[in-house]
Amino acid sequence: MVWVPPRPSSTDRRAPLRTPAPRCTTMSMEWLLDWSWSLDGLRDFIATGIQSFRDCDATALAAVACLLVLFMWYCYHVGREQPRAYATVNALMQSAEANGVQNGFVYCHSPECARCTHHDGLNQKLYHNLQEYAKRYSWSGMGRIHKGIREQGRYLNSRPSIQKPEVFFLPDLPTMPYFSRDAQKHDVELLERNFQTILCEFETLYKAFSNCSLPQGWKMNSTPSGEWFTFYLVNQGMCVPRNCRRCPRTYRLLGSLRTCIGNNVFGNACISVLSPGTVIAEHYGPTNIRIRCHLGLKTPSNCELVVGGEPQCWAEGRCLLFDDSFLHTAFHEGPPEEGPRVIFMVDLWHPNVAAAERQALDFIFAPGR
């Protein structure tokens, strides 16, 4: 007898159960499909690029290659440059102290200083500095400076006696003895807003005159009559550390001026004091690339500034802008009881000297270069 398993009835028949595929297998299949599509797209993209490259004009390819080479050369050139270190105020002061500061006044000891050197080789030295600048950066925008250096002797010798800068003349700059306040409006307004701050620091300094004839940090200048004292914060592009520490708010204010000349030998900032009866001899400034700003701190009667034969008077809390490459003088003929005439002086860029020219002039006339 053979046993036969019973067949299920039609009512008991059910669809066989399907075991679901693992989730990881499904994800793998989807990823493989996406990857194959990505490879197909990448293959099509490469094929299209190669075909476009074959169809491209040879002149266009050469132009692209030249641009690529120039870009690589520029990156290499910039990469070779040593990054410029921006020193803090304290580091700057310590550096200036180490470079010879006497009685708070920086004296130039370099025979090669362009500001203090007057000899036949000066033009060659300036041209060498310009070439060095152009090699590092660019000749773009250097037309006027190149023209000025090349023909400097002719410019200085042929200038009319009313304007004759002693060191460097930049051609094609608008020329006038006095400038309006709008020439450097931002810096003029900033100085005038801080009039009381500068005046307070001066009054603290001036108290030392009752104890000795020439307090530390002050410099006496040669005059035909009377006494002319100056207290420099920046002298020929270099800060005077001890003096800056004694006028910290005024020194910080210089950093807020947009057009202050602070990186070349033509930049100065100082307090200037004329005692009653003082006359400053007529003289010329070193260059026409700057305008000199006088902020009146104390302005007695009978005090005048004469530039190019035109007299002007100072006013307390107001700025007076002029081109000191013109023949100029100043005097104080007021009574002794009115006290000294006091101004804060700072050199600003001539408004028509372009940014590229300013950068180049800072390089060419850097202190000690």
Side-chain angles (χ1 to χ4, degrees):
M1 183 174 179
V2 179
W3 180 80
V4 178
R7 294 181 178 181
S9 63
S10 60
T11 57
D12 294 335
R13 291 177 182 173
R14 296 179 183 176
L17 294 176
R18 295 182 179 177
T19 304
R23 181 175 180 81
C24 60
T25 305
T26 304
M27 292 180 63
S28 299
M29 293 298 296
E30 292 176 353
W31 182 82
L32 287 172
L33 289 173
D34 292 341
W35 185 56
S36 64
W37 280 107
S38 298
L39 286 178
D40 292 339
L42 180 61
R43 185 165 52 250
D44 294 342
F45 177 77
I46 294 174
T48 303
I50 293 174
Q51 186 61 37
S52 300
F53 184 80
R54 288 174 178 174
D55 296 340
C56 188
D57 183 44
T59 305
L61 288 177
V64 172
C66 289
L67 290 174
L68 182 60
V69 170
L70 287 174
F71 177 72
M72 294 176 64
W73 174 85
Y74 175 78
C75 294
Y76 170 75
H77 182 71
V78 172
R80 288 182 59 200
E81 293 270 329
Q82 292 294 329
R84 181 178 177 181
Y86 291 92
T88 62
V89 172
N90 289 334
L92 186 60
M93 290 181 172
Q94 292 170 4
S95 173
E97 278 186 336
N99 289 329
V101 178
Q102 302 175 5
N103 194 28
F105 182 75
V106 178
Y107 291 90
C108 178
H109 298 289
S110 173
E112 299 180 352
C113 174
R115 173 64 178 87
C116 306
T117 304
H118 301 278
H119 56 76
D120 296 336
L122 177 59
N123 290 350
Q124 286 81 358
K125 180 171 181 57
L126 296 181
Y127 190 74
H128 171 76
N129 291 347
L130 175 60
Q131 285 183 315
E132 186 178 348
Y133 172 84
K135 289 178 182 178
R136 293 191 182 186
Y137 303 100
S138 171
W139 278 103
S140 178
M142 298 298 104
R144 284 197 300 189
I145 297 179
H146 181 262
K147 178 182 177 182
I149 293 177
R150 189 180 66 245
E151 303 183 22
Q152 197 62 207
R154 182 175 67 83
Y155 284 129
L156 297 184
N157 294 329
S158 64
R159 294 298 303 167
S161 59
I162 194 173
Q163 185 192 27
K164 190 173 290 187
E166 296 180 340
V167 178
F168 179 72
F169 178 80
L170 185 64
D172 305 325
L173 282 182
T175 299
M176 62 191 77
Y178 294 97
F179 285 78
S180 70
R181 296 162 46 83
D182 291 337
Q184 299 295 4
K185 185 176 181 180
H186 172 272
D187 290 353
V188 166
E189 292 178 348
L190 185 60
L191 287 167
E192 291 179 350
R193 284 199 303 269
N194 288 272
F195 159 69
Q196 287 294 336
T197 297
I198 301 172
L199 178 62
C200 288
E201 292 193 330
F202 159 73
E203 290 176 339
T204 301
L205 290 173
Y206 199 65
K207 291 177 182 178
F209 273 90
S210 60
N211 300 326
C212 60
S213 57
L214 186 64
Q216 187 178 42
W218 289 87
K219 176 181 178 292
M220 180 178 288
N221 304 280
S222 176
T223 57
S225 62
E227 295 176 330
W228 174 24
F229 303 100
T230 47
F231 186 87
Y232 279 89
L233 302 183
V234 177
N235 177 43
Q236 295 186 17
M238 296 180 63
C239 81
V240 184
R242 294 179 183 176
N243 292 0
C244 292
R245 291 193 189 102
R246 296 172 68 183
C247 299
R249 290 181 293 175
T250 302
Y251 181 70
R252 283 196 297 269
L253 176 63
L254 293 176
S256 301
L257 301 178
R258 293 178 181 173
T259 60
C260 176
I261 301 179
N263 296 320
N264 69 54
V265 296
F266 299 129
N268 302 276
C270 71
I271 296 172
S272 175
V273 178
L274 290 186
S275 62
T278 301
V279 176
I280 298 176
E282 290 184 328
H283 61 286
Y284 301 99
T287 183
N288 67 327
I289 66 172
R290 72 187 186 188
I291 56 176
R292 182 151 280 188
C293 177
H294 282 185
L295 172 65
L297 300 181
K298 290 182 177 293
T299 57
S301 59
N302 295 323
C303 294
E304 283 189 359
L305 171 68
V306 182
V307 182
E310 299 180 20
Q312 289 277 359
C313 295
W314 297 278
E316 293 183 3
R318 302 283 288 179
C319 288
L320 185 62
L321 305 179
F322 65 99
D323 184 345
D324 72 324
S325 66
F326 281 79
L327 186 66
H328 63 284
T329 181
F331 56 85
H332 179 3
E333 295 180 345
E337 57 269 18
E338 291 190 10
R341 181 239 59 176
V342 185
I343 57 99
F344 178 67
M345 184 199 79
V346 59
D347 290 321
L348 308 177
W349 283 104
H350 190 293
N352 292 94
V353 178
E357 293 175 321
R358 295 179 186 184
Q359 181 179 340
L361 290 168
D362 279 344
F363 182 89
I364 294 168
F365 291 100
R369 177 173 291 277

